[in-house]
Structures are given as structure tokens and as C-alpha cells.
Amino acid sequence: MAQPIIHDLQQLKDPAKAKVLRRYFKTGKGEYGEGDVFWGLTVPQVRSIAKKYKDLPLADVEKLLHSKVHEFRLTAVIILTYKKLTKNIVDLYLRNTSYINNWDLVDLSSHEILGKFLLDKPHTVLFKLARSANMWERRIAIISTFAFLRNNDTSDTMKLADLLLHDTEDLLHKAVGWALREVGKQDRKLLVDYLSTRYHTMLRTTLRYAIEKFSTEKRQQYLKGTI
């Protein structure tokens, strides 16, 4: 692993902040981030280092991604977002999804890497990920579609939302809700039509995020089931 980048990360270690981050990212026994190791760096600090080392060879980026230290993995995925997208980068990303194993790692990278790469290609891999037993792969699937939404393409976001609508994980409830909210920003009628046949059975968290941009009155009607 490239020693200069490790040195730069180490200079910014903050034990007090690391303690806060361990709680925030649920690293306790039985929690979704169980055992994750934090050094206490902020995202802007990590971005600054990632930009400095954006030309790091992919082999070294992959080694960073295999680290037990959360900020190493975060640096790795952010470096990938700074590189010109190629199939090699996407292949690296997909073969290392087991290390992209917290929501910040997914949310800062999946749409920038996988989503952008798939803009002009079939989206089959996202449906495979959405059916994965790994919840981070499922989150990667739905968050990747934010790249499509930026290009006014809502179709696969809606299809993936349907696949994940009753997921057992709270982190998926939120992600699906966010995706639906973004659909509604582009096409309110499309979201309203979608909700009309589903909102009674949707998970509460998903529904709350999906209708976040509606008026207070409309939100209350959906939440009370009176639409």
C-alpha cells in the first residue's frame, strides 16, 4: 500500500472524533457497521487527500479499499470518482462490494462510478445487485440510479424501487424513499401515480422520504391514509 497516502491520513487522526464516528456509523456488536475501525477524519479531509492522490495506481487503490480502517476505504472510493471512468474501474468496484460496506461509502461513490458508467449501457447488473443478500449491494443498486435521474431517466429507478420496497433493512427504506423523492422532483404525477397503488403498504420511513417535498397537507393525508 502507498505509504505517503497512509502518512497523510495518519496526520489527521482524531481519537475523539473517531469515538463519535464509531457510534454514528453503528459499529457496535450486532449493528450494521460492527467492527469498523475509524480514525476520525471528516469527509472534506478525506476528499482533500483523495484529490492529492487521484493518480494513485488502481492496484494501490484496491489495497486501500481492503483496509480495516474506514477512512482508507473512503479515500479509495473517492479516488475512483476522480479518475476517468473505465471498465477496469467499474470491474474493480464490483469485485470489491464487500468492502464498500457502509452507507457513506455507497452514497459517495455508486452513482458517480457505477451509475455514470451505465448511462449508455444495459442496467442488468443493478437488478442483480438489488436481489443480493448483501444489503450494501442492494443500496448500491438504488443509489446508482441517481446518475440516471440526473439525465431525466426514471424508469429503472421505479423498477428497482419496486424490488426493494419492502426490504427488511432500514437503510434501504431510506434509500428507496430518497430515490422516489428525486423522481417526484422531475415528474410529480409519475410519483403520485406510483404512490396511489402502494402507499398503504409502504414502509413508513420510505413513504416519509418519498413525500418529503409535498405540501404539509398532502403529507398528512398520505400518512393518515386519506388520499
Side-chain angles (χ1 to χ4, degrees), residues 6 24 35 38-40 44 58 61 63 72 74 87 100 106 121 125 128 148 155 159 172 183 206-207 210 220 224:
I6 295 172
Y24 186 64
F38 281 83
W39 276 13
L58 287 182
V61 176
K63 288 176 183 176
F72 283 28
L74 182 58
K87 187 176 184 298
I100 305 167
V106 173
K121 300 174 183 65
V125 66
K128 180 180 178 182
F148 311 155
S155 60
K159 292 174 186 175
L172 268 297
V183 168
T206 303
L207 179 59
Q220 288 304 310
K224 291 176 181 177

Side-chain angles (χ1 to χ4, degrees), residues 33-59:
E34 181 178 352
D36 207 351
V37 177
F38 281 83
W39 276 13
L41 279 71
T42 65
V43 171
Q45 287 174 325
V46 171
R47 278 197 181 281
S48 177
I49 291 172
K51 188 170 288 188
K52 179 180 177 181
Y53 292 96
K54 60 185 173 58
D55 295 324
L56 193 71
L58 287 182

Side-chain angles (χ1 to χ4, degrees), residues 140-170:
I140 286 169
I142 192 68
I143 297 296
S144 290
T145 71
F146 280 55
F148 311 155
L149 294 174
R150 289 176 184 169
N151 283 262
N152 301 311
D153 177 3
T154 60
S155 60
D156 279 348
T157 301
M158 306 298 278
K159 292 174 186 175
L160 287 162
D162 258 355
L163 278 177
L164 298 168
L165 202 58
H166 299 288
D167 199 280
T168 57
E169 297 290 346
D170 180 64

Side-chain angles (χ1 to χ4, degrees), residues 45-223:
Q45 287 174 325
V46 171
R47 278 197 181 281
S48 177
I49 291 172
K51 188 170 288 188
K52 179 180 177 181
Y53 292 96
K54 60 185 173 58
D55 295 324
L56 193 71
L58 287 182
D60 288 329
V61 176
E62 191 162 17
K63 288 176 183 176
L64 271 182
L65 194 51
H66 291 180
S67 173
K68 293 181 179 180
V69 178
H70 186 95
E71 288 87 350
F72 283 28
R73 303 197 306 281
L74 182 58
T75 304
V77 296
I78 292 177
I79 286 174
L80 293 178
T81 69
Y82 288 142
K83 291 183 178 293
K84 182 179 179 181
L85 268 178
T86 64
K87 187 176 184 298
N88 284 342
I89 286 174
V90 173
D91 287 346
L92 184 157
Y93 192 82
L94 287 172
R95 71 172 173 263
N96 285 289
T97 52
S98 61
Y99 299 100
I100 305 167
N101 57 354
N102 217 313
W103 58 263
D104 60 328
L105 304 177
V106 173
D107 295 2
L108 289 169
S109 65
S110 57
H111 60 297
E112 295 291 344
I113 298 170
L114 189 53
K116 283 185 178 179
F117 185 76
L118 295 175
L119 282 174
D120 59 350
K121 300 174 183 65
H123 302 165
T124 311
V125 66
L126 297 185
F127 289 88
K128 180 180 178 182
L129 291 171
R131 294 182 174 93
S132 170
N134 182 323
M135 76 165 173
W136 302 117
E137 291 190 343
R138 302 199 300 276
R139 189 172 173 109
I140 286 169
I142 192 68
I143 297 296
S144 290
T145 71
F146 280 55
F148 311 155
L149 294 174
R150 289 176 184 169
N151 283 262
N152 301 311
D153 177 3
T154 60
S155 60
D156 279 348
T157 301
M158 306 298 278
K159 292 174 186 175
L160 287 162
D162 258 355
L163 278 177
L164 298 168
L165 202 58
H166 299 288
D167 199 280
T168 57
E169 297 290 346
D170 180 64
L171 287 172
L172 268 297
H173 307 167
K174 294 176 182 177
V176 172
W178 294 335
L180 292 173
R181 178 192 65 197
E182 296 306 305
V183 168
K185 287 181 183 178
Q186 292 187 18
D187 189 334
R188 177 62 64 89
K189 184 178 184 303
L190 180 63
L191 177 57
V192 168
D193 289 347
Y194 180 88
L195 293 174
S196 67
T197 58
R198 296 167 177 82
Y199 87 95
H200 279 295
T201 60
M202 283 173 68
L203 295 157
R204 209 68 167 169
T205 300
T206 303
L207 179 59
R208 285 184 183 278
Y209 280 108
I211 62 176
E212 190 175 22
K213 297 302 179 180
F214 288 18
S215 68
T216 301
E217 181 182 2
K218 280 291 182 188
R219 290 200 307 271
Q220 288 304 310
Q221 288 174 338
Y222 275 104
L223 293 170

